[in-house]
Amino acid sequence: QVQLVESGGGLVQPGGSLTLSCVASGLTLDYYPIGWFRQAPGKEREGVACISSRNNRGFYTDSVNGRFTISRHNANNTAFLQMDSLKPEDTAVYYCAMKPHTCTFIQNEYPYWGQGIQVTVSS
């Protein structure tokens, strides 16, 4: 059974940093693109970042480009989302997800999802 478990969320002040982790079990991370999504209160879930399986290239939505960095450590079956210069509008539940083939932000292409973790940016 495939499981994805996020960790590293919490409360941080504006301008601060957090690193989210996503540990996979039940399959090998190497061959799958990994996406991070988020859902803010009252809003639809949106794609934040995706890292390819071929060359570890990262893709980012405009609102986080330059502030967030996605990475992966295949040997530990773990993916990361480094979040810097956090803003109150980054407050959301963050989800990691895995899919075959190539990076996209199309959610129904992702068969595997974590349970989500809360990130709150507030002073």
Side-chain angles (χ1 to χ4, degrees), residues 10-118:
L11 174 65
V12 63
Q13 292 188 342
S17 298
L18 277 178
T19 300
L20 303 182
S21 300
C22 173
V23 178
S25 60
L27 50 66
T28 302
L29 216 62
D30 303 40
Y31 309 112
Y32 294 86
I34 301 160
W36 284 94
F37 295 79
R38 67 185 181 187
Q39 187 167 22
K43 295 188 176 181
E44 292 187 355
R45 190 163 58 185
E46 63 171 348
V48 174
C50 183
I51 185 167
S52 71
S53 57
R54 293 183 184 180
N55 54 15
N56 288 338
R57 180 180 176 185
F59 301 87
Y60 303 90
T61 192
D62 288 347
S63 62
V64 308
N65 198 21
R67 300 188 297 121
F68 290 12
T69 304
I70 190 171
S71 61
R72 60 196 297 156
H73 193 276
N74 289 341
N76 290 341
N77 245 23
T78 304
F80 304 94
L81 185 67
Q82 171 72 35
M83 305 184 294
D84 298 317
S85 302
L86 283 161
K87 305 175 181 180
E89 51 264 42
D90 295 317
T91 295
V93 176
Y94 283 72
Y95 301 86
C96 67
M98 295 174 61
K99 69 182 296 289
H101 308 308
T102 58
C103 268
T104 70
F105 288 147
I106 302 171
Q107 297 183 40
N108 63 15
E109 292 185 355
Y110 286 79
Y112 308 116
W113 289 82
Q115 80 287 353
I117 192 161
Q118 179 70 44

